[in-house]
Amino acid sequence: MGWNLSRHGAEVVLIDAGHPGEGVTNWSFSWVNASNKTERRSYFDLNVAGMAACRELAEAIGPDSWWYPDGHLRWAEDLAAEAKLLQTAELLAAWGYRVEVRTGAEVRRRLEPALEVPDQVPVVFYPDEAWVHGRHLVGRLVGQAAELGAVCRFGIAVSGIGIGADGSIRTVALSDGSSLDVDVVVNAAGPDASQVAGLIARHLPTRREPGVITRLGCDRVPVHRAMHAPHIEIRPDGDDSVVLHSREVDALIDTGKDPAELGRLLHESARRVVPELGNARIAATRVADRPIPGDGFPSVGAVPSVPGYYEAVSHSAITLGPVIGRLLASEILGGSTDAMLTDFRPERFPQ
Ligand SMILES: Cc1cc2nc3c(=O)[nH]c(=O)nc-3n(C[C@H](O)[C@H](O)[C@H](O)COP(=O)(O)OP(=O)(O)OC[C@H]3O[C@@H](n4cnc5c(N)ncnc54)[C@H](O)[C@@H]3O)c2cc1C
């Protein structure tokens, strides 16, 4: 968002209570996809646009160290889950999404030699999907925005938002006691977005859905792309690291289990799929909150009752961040709203 506004000549101040890219963005599975977004056609289309915007961003700022467009693999263990996976693949193909069904043997031979996957099991390959190193991407965008003149105020929280007599945004108060005169505020505070919305007495309902991510350190990364295996999701995370996630393990967060124990469960599942990961060591495990508006869909755009206040709050914002950033910047600067965002406007959550 800040990068988009800066390159179009806006005066931008980037404010982060911590450091940009080190929030949930750094503790994400970071899979760029639309194949997991079939619940609503408009949401699927927005995610397809998100994938295209990621590719365009890689061309604009360079892909190195953050953009890994090597596709995605997914397979199932039991027949019911397999039938559902293949049915989804058929729907996606009918919607024009690139999908290939291979066998386990073929995948091992051509794509991922280190996998334990039965020879005959169907494996769905989505060639246009990718993963992103979120912290590196955000670092690159912040660096370029700063070169374009954006002011960076990091380690300082927004503690108040001032509204003028006409009801529009006027000032932002910061935790160091300073204050800024502004025309526009974009609330992109991720899991803390409802607190920031509360500063203008707006109720942004959010859903609590924490997830647990484990990073493994390894001498050699034995996988080349992101994948959903039964019980475990695995992706590379650079030259000497692998990231693990599982919705099944997320479901244990509220049982009071120690995150270190959750990390061990993830590692155990991963070594069953990629035996070589048995030699890897757990480097870090973190539980992070997903930023999810109450109905599960993004909240993007102006809040008409408070002129100058905008939201950019979304789950799947690794996939959606680049398209949301582009569309919202053009809404802020040009005043027009893109039809792609119609189902995701903030005013569906009334004041
Ligand atoms: C386990 C897990 C797996 C996921 N997997 C995927 C996936 O595979 N694909 C995908 O697309 N998405 C995935 N997501 C979701 C994705 O990670 C998030 O949607 C995305 O990272 C949100 O980015 P953000 O910038 O909104 O939030 P953040 O990265 O958290 O950034 C928000 C920033 O706001 C700052 N902030 C908060 N309050 C204030 C304040 N008052 N003043 C100033 N600054 C403030 C914070 O310091 C933080 O740096 C996953 C999430 C989780 C938890």
Side-chain angles (χ1 to χ4, degrees), residues 16-18 24-25 28-31 157-158 189-192 314-319:
D16 198 303
V24 62
T25 295
S28 173
F29 189 60
S30 281
W31 167 36
V158 171
D192 295 324
S314 178
H315 182 49
S316 287
I318 301 292
T319 307

Side-chain angles (χ1 to χ4, degrees), residues 19-65:
H19 199 83
E22 292 184 2
V24 62
T25 295
N26 195 32
W27 297 98
S28 173
F29 189 60
S30 281
W31 167 36
V32 173
N33 79 95
S35 61
N36 216 27
K37 318 286 172 56
T38 51
E39 65 268 47
R40 194 192 273 186
R41 183 63 201 249
S42 59
Y43 188 51
F44 170 80
D45 290 342
L46 185 65
N47 278 273
V48 169
M51 293 166 67
C54 286
R55 287 191 290 272
E56 285 156 22
L57 190 60
E59 274 170 32
I61 66 171
D64 46 299
S65 91

Side-chain angles (χ1 to χ4, degrees), residues 58 63 83 103 139 156 187 194 204 219 228 254 287 293 305 342 346-348:
T103 63
I156 297 171
N187 177 358
S194 65
L204 171 64
D219 299 331
H228 271 62
D254 286 338
V287 173
S305 56
T342 302
E347 61 259 40
R348 72 184 189 280

Side-chain angles (χ1 to χ4, degrees), residues 180-232:
L180 302 168
D181 291 334
V182 297
D183 303 316
V184 162
V185 165
V186 179
N187 177 358
D192 295 324
S194 65
Q195 274 138 267
V196 172
L199 299 175
I200 57 156
R202 167 168 162 76
H203 177 59
L204 171 64
T206 49
R207 228 183 236 186
R208 188 175 169 277
E209 249 182 68
V212 57
I213 290 286
T214 286
R215 281 200 161 84
L216 301 179
C218 36
D219 299 331
R220 193 189 83 95
V221 174
V223 291
H224 304 288
R225 54 186 49 74
M227 60 190 73
H228 271 62
H231 313 296
I232 187 75

